[in-house]
Amino acid sequence: FSRRHLLALIAGASLPTLATAVCLPGLGPVPQLNPTPAAIAVTVSGGYVALFHADLFDVGPATRRAADRDTLDDLASAVVVVTTAGRVVEVNDSAERLFGVRRPGVLGTPLSAVADVDETTLSAVVPGTDPGPDATTADRTVSLDVDGDARTFVVKTSTLTDPTGQPVGATLVFQDVTEERAREQRLQVLNRVLRHNLRNDLNVVHGYLSAALDRVDDDETAEMIRTARREAASLAGLGEKARSLEQ
């Protein structure tokens, strides 16, 4: 129920009790008047309105829980929900497959029982623990063993709060970036190799052009060689600029 519905139900259920109390000897302003039947009628009327006109049970918690459950299970990334003490309260289907666990068996256990993360990482991603002087609030990268294969994950954390804004837990999303990181490393190696080869080849070209320039007497040909030499030097400088930009 929402807070509004809950308050309405409490108020409605309290009316007959209050009406009966008013009828006790010496309490009611008019002892001959018994307001209990009227209070019951008001309560019944309010219940009818809540049931059939305010959709009280159409917005019940079961519907929300089912929606939350389906939303979590539809995510391709593993999701683990923990309390501020680091206790697991929910895992999705992807987390069950990734970590080789079953939902009933891990509920209430520490996060480390589900995901084999080190203490530094654990303290950084679980709210309510001491993160230490070197911890940051940024996404954390962890390496986990999955079926004997080392996989790299970025752990994205979202803090869960109660209606007063106080933290009550966190949602941890384990995003597998193993292939992405491997692709980045391959591109970096390829970039370095190409840049190294480009620089060496252009140095050779520059040397031959300088030697050729010393052997020609034709001014037009000499100018063409000088232009080619400048272009080679410009390309070599472009490779160095690319290296600086990457750094």
Side-chain angles (χ1 to χ4, degrees):
F1 301 140
S2 67
R3 182 177 299 180
R4 177 172 56 86
H5 285 136
L6 182 60
L7 292 176
L9 288 176
I10 293 175
S14 301
L15 281 177
T17 302
L18 294 175
T20 302
V22 169
C23 294
L24 293 178
L27 294 180
V30 183
Q32 296 81 7
L33 178 63
N34 185 356
T36 302
I40 294 176
V42 172
T43 300
V44 172
S45 300
Y48 175 83
V49 172
L51 286 174
F52 299 104
H53 294 280
D55 297 328
L56 176 61
F57 292 103
D58 289 345
V59 292
T63 303
R64 291 197 300 270
R65 284 196 298 268
D68 293 342
R69 175 78 264 158
D70 290 343
T71 301
L72 287 178
D73 288 338
D74 286 343
L75 294 177
S77 298
V79 178
V80 181
V81 183
V82 297
T83 66
T84 53
R87 297 285 175 173
V88 176
V89 296
E90 187 60 274
V91 295
N92 68 345
D93 289 347
S94 296
E96 288 185 295
R97 292 190 296 269
L98 174 64
F99 301 119
V101 299
R102 300 299 298 171
R103 185 178 295 117
V106 298
L107 298 184
T109 63
L111 173 61
S112 56
V114 178
D116 185 19
V117 296
D118 57 79
E119 291 300 325
T120 302
T121 301
L122 181 62
S123 63
V125 299
V126 177
T129 59
D130 183 10
D134 298 328
T136 65
T137 57
D139 297 336
R140 302 281 296 187
T141 300
V142 298
S143 180
L144 303 177
D145 182 271
V146 180
D147 297 330
D149 185 21
R151 309 289 295 180
T152 303
F153 294 85
V154 170
V155 183
K156 297 181 177 295
T157 308
S158 299
T159 302
L160 301 175
T161 58
D162 61 16
T164 64
Q166 295 299 316
V168 295
T171 299
L172 283 65
V173 179
F174 291 78
Q175 183 178 356
D176 192 342
V177 294
T178 306
E179 299 302 328
E180 177 184 341
R181 295 298 172 86
R183 184 166 56 251
E184 289 178 355
Q185 291 176 356
R186 289 194 295 267
L187 289 174
Q188 289 175 357
V189 171
L190 179 62
N191 186 22
R192 287 195 294 268
V193 170
L194 290 178
R195 192 169 57 239
H196 178 267
N197 292 344
L198 176 66
R199 182 174 63 251
N200 289 344
D201 291 346
L202 287 174
N203 287 337
V204 173
V205 171
H206 191 275
Y208 276 116
L209 290 173
S210 297
L213 183 62
D214 295 335
R215 298 183 183 184
V216 298
D217 296 328
D218 181 68
D219 292 339
E220 184 177 354
T221 302
E223 183 59 30
M224 293 171 62
I225 294 176
R226 292 189 187 94
T227 300
R229 191 172 61 175
R230 286 195 300 270
E231 292 298 325
S234 177
L235 285 175
L238 184 60
E240 291 302 314
K241 289 181 180 179
R243 183 175 68 88
S244 300
L245 181 61
E246 181 183 15
Q247 292 175 346

